Amino acid sequence: MRIGLVGWGVETKSAYEYFGGSHSYVIGNEEPRSDFPNGENIEIHYIDQARQPGLVGNVSDLSYLDFYDNCDLVIFQGAARKNLELKFPADHDFWQKAKTGLDIFFEKSPTKNIIGITGTKGKGTTTSLTAELLSATGLDVRLGGNIGIPVLQMLDTLTPDSWVVLELSNFQLYKFNYSPHIAINLMIIPEHIDEWHKTMKDYVDAKRNLSAHQTSSDISIFLPSNEYSRANAESSPGKLIPYTEPPGAFINNTGFVEIDHQQIIHSSKVGLIGKHNLQNICAALTAAWQIKNAPEIYQQVITNFKGLEHRLQFIREVNGVKYYDDSFGTIPNTAQVALDAFDQPKVVILGGHDKGNDWTELIERLKQEDVKHIVLIGSITFRLLKEMESAGLDMHKVSFRENGNSWTMLSIIDTVNKEASAGDIVLLSTGASSFGLFEDYKDRGRQFAQVVNSLKPA
């Protein structure tokens, strides 16, 4: 069989491993890569020029997609679909042989016990916590999607009794024709608008597929205070369950996380930091409760679960200053949420690649007294300086460089430490993508942790 792979990322790499070396392959990618596979049965095509910083799946040169006519099957990275739609009209026979790895997983999975989680933020935390809650009860649980194991790699180890918990992005769900048995629709707010999705409707509609293909025997969980979450859940013909209010898990008037008239844990005892994470806990608990009622086990898991890397992750305390890595947050709303997670005075590192998001609300939040200082980085610097000044923010508490991309993490931390004192929080929560200064949010977070861990106490 001749297999085409569009994009060379986690999904297509796992497809290459899943189908094996007995087939011939055509690989097309937006840029050259050092990790392309070698072999006489492998044909590789790419754009022979540097790709502009930003999301994959949005280049103008589509010549790397010219070579799939003779393929029997084409597997594409979810983010490549917009380029493919430009190259191949909807009635083109290309689409008769094109799938994602997620399509293949849903078609071939021996278990229908699949939980899918989507939303703008909180997906990774909620997905990981849901998997941990269920694992602690003794179930056979696999974690996959955007985190954990690539879905095709887990196929051969699943049984009909296994449970699979998947974090699913808008790229994966765009025009996706399957839905999991349990769908968790988290808060949806604007992201990737104008970069990949041209409209908010396109973005929301992509995520609707998490619930839209369910049956009457399935379950759709949603955040009732978020109109997009509610509307997407209501596309399901299955059972609808809200979280943050009964009959789902919620915080009662005494501060306990409660579900089904049982108090599971007091909100002050949870391992996760920030009020927003109480919502994620309620979402995960609501899903787990539909499978097993295990209050004591769930209490222990929620107490000990500290979250994921780069999501309000405590790095270290030096000279009375606590350093937190929230590099995963790449839109202004996430920086606002991170600021609200702490009562102490804060020095915040903001900025990066300008995705065109609205910073109005965050700038108003930055005017509050608990924000002691702001270090601006990245290509968005001068846009933010202009908007901050127009909004009346005290510009004496802003540090920046003429070239916003001339910072290193060492120089950023040096600047931060001139402003921070004992009792303060230093917060890497940029509200923007990392392009221009760092490889990705993980690289940004790792460099932050590396420099902070190298600091010498006074």
Side-chain angles (χ1 to χ4, degrees):
M1 183 164 61
R2 187 169 177 81
I3 300 173
L5 302 177
V6 183
W8 187 241
V10 172
E11 294 172 81
T12 46
K13 287 179 183 178
S14 66
Y16 176 74
E17 294 175 7
Y18 177 74
F19 285 98
S22 62
H23 304 286
S24 64
Y25 291 88
V26 177
I27 300 174
N29 198 54
E30 290 185 3
E31 58 187 345
R33 292 281 295 268
S34 61
D35 60 344
F36 285 134
N38 297 312
E40 293 182 358
N41 63 333
I42 300 171
E43 178 184 325
I44 297 174
H45 304 276
Y46 52 83
I47 304 169
D48 195 15
Q49 61 186 37
R51 183 173 59 82
Q52 291 297 313
L55 289 172
V56 296
N58 59 359
V59 296
S60 56
D61 182 356
L62 302 180
S63 60
Y64 74 103
L65 300 176
D66 287 341
F67 308 94
Y68 295 103
D69 287 349
N70 295 325
C71 290
D72 303 297
L73 171 67
V74 178
I75 303 165
F76 60 92
Q77 291 275 127
R81 183 147 194 160
K82 291 285 188 176
N83 281 356
L84 290 171
E85 288 180 341
L86 292 173
K87 185 74 173 181
F88 303 104
D91 59 353
H92 196 284
D93 60 6
F94 171 87
W95 295 108
Q96 301 302 312
K97 60 186 177 183
K99 298 175 181 285
T100 66
L102 200 62
D103 289 321
I104 296 170
F105 175 79
F106 271 78
E107 290 167 5
K108 294 183 177 295
S109 175
T111 179
K112 301 306 177 186
N113 299 329
I114 302 173
I115 302 172
I117 294 98
T118 198
T120 305
K121 294 299 174 185
K123 297 187 295 294
T125 298
T126 305
T127 304
S128 299
L129 179 55
T130 302
E132 294 222 8
L133 289 169
L134 294 176
S135 293
T137 68
L139 292 172
D140 174 33
V141 180
R142 313 300 165 83
L143 177 67
N146 276 344
I147 57 178
I149 305 169
V151 290
L152 294 182
Q153 288 184 20
M154 68 173 74
L155 265 180
D156 292 340
T157 66
L158 295 174
T159 73
D161 295 324
S162 299
W163 280 88
V164 179
V165 187
L166 301 177
E167 179 196 321
L168 299 174
S169 70
N170 51 301
F171 307 122
Q172 292 166 307
L173 291 169
Y174 178 68
K175 297 192 176 178
F176 188 56
N177 294 317
Y178 303 91
S179 293
H181 170 51
I182 299 178
I184 305 179
N185 299 271
L186 302 175
M187 177 185 291
I188 300 175
I189 55 178
E191 187 174 37
H192 303 309
I193 312 304
D194 294 331
E195 281 196 305
W196 203 82
H197 296 285
K198 300 305 180 187
T199 65
M200 183 65 177
K201 182 180 184 301
D202 190 49
Y203 176 60
V204 174
D205 285 352
K207 291 183 175 292
R208 181 168 296 132
N209 288 319
L210 187 75
S211 296
H213 307 291
Q214 288 186 316
T215 68
S216 59
S217 61
D218 294 324
I219 298 168
S220 190
I221 296 168
F222 65 98
L223 178 62
S225 61
N226 183 253
E227 61 175 310
Y228 301 119
S229 174
R230 175 188 288 275
N232 280 5
E234 289 175 347
S235 69
S236 170
K239 182 180 180 181
L240 303 183
I241 306 175
Y243 68 93
T244 68
E245 67 179 44
F250 66 102
I251 311 300
N252 68 21
N253 57 13
T254 60
F256 276 87
V257 179
E258 179 180 327
I259 188 168
D260 199 19
H261 306 292
Q262 296 192 55
Q263 295 186 151
I264 306 300
I265 185 173
H266 196 273
S267 56
S268 63
K269 303 295 184 182
V270 304
L272 290 169
I273 297 169
K275 295 177 182 177
H276 64 292
N277 272 322
L278 293 177
Q279 289 189 355
N280 296 331
I281 290 168
C282 288
L285 180 59
T286 300
W289 200 262
Q290 311 313 307
I291 301 159
K292 276 198 175 183
N293 297 0
E296 293 181 0
I297 293 173
Y298 295 158
Q299 179 192 58
Q300 185 175 7
V301 172
I302 295 169
T303 300
N304 295 326
F305 186 76
K306 305 298 182 184
L308 306 178
E309 267 193 318
H310 314 304
R311 282 111 160 144
L312 276 182
Q313 180 188 11
F314 174 66
I315 302 300
R316 188 185 176 202
E317 181 174 346
V318 185
N319 301 325
V321 178
K322 293 182 177 179
Y323 296 79
Y324 286 86
D325 168 14
D326 193 44
S327 185
F328 184 76
T330 57
I331 59 174
N333 174 265
T334 56
Q336 189 169 342
V337 166
L339 289 169
D340 290 340
F342 303 97
D343 294 327
Q344 301 96 316
K346 289 165 279 287
V347 179
V348 60
I349 302 163
L350 279 180
H353 174 69
D354 187 355
K355 296 193 292 185
N357 287 321
D358 185 353
W359 287 69
T360 305
E361 288 189 18
L362 177 56
I363 290 173
E364 286 300 311
R365 176 65 182 85
L366 295 171
K367 290 163 66 175
Q368 295 182 22
E369 289 186 5
D370 66 320
V371 180
K372 185 175 181 180
H373 200 82
I374 303 156
V375 178
L376 278 184
I377 64 173
S379 61
I380 200 171
T381 294
F382 280 96
R383 176 194 159 191
L384 290 186
L385 285 172
K386 183 177 179 181
E387 293 186 16
M388 287 174 172
E389 191 169 11
S390 296
L393 189 145
D394 180 3
M395 301 307 290
H396 292 97
K397 67 176 187 179
V398 181
S399 295
F400 65 96
R401 287 188 171 184
E402 299 253 343
N403 178 356
N405 283 338
S406 66
W407 293 94
T408 64
M409 188 56 75
L410 183 60
S411 62
I412 291 169
I413 299 300
D414 281 344
T415 303
V416 161
N417 286 341
K418 291 175 183 176
E419 306 296 338
S421 54
D424 291 351
I425 298 292
V426 168
L427 186 57
L428 175 71
S429 190
T430 62
S433 297
S434 57
F435 311 125
L437 275 168
F438 307 99
E439 291 181 11
D440 52 27
Y441 79 87
K442 294 178 183 177
D443 177 50
R444 180 170 60 190
R446 282 194 294 263
Q447 289 195 37
F448 177 79
Q450 183 178 13
V451 174
V452 169
N453 283 324
S454 71
L455 296 174
K456 306 296 184 186

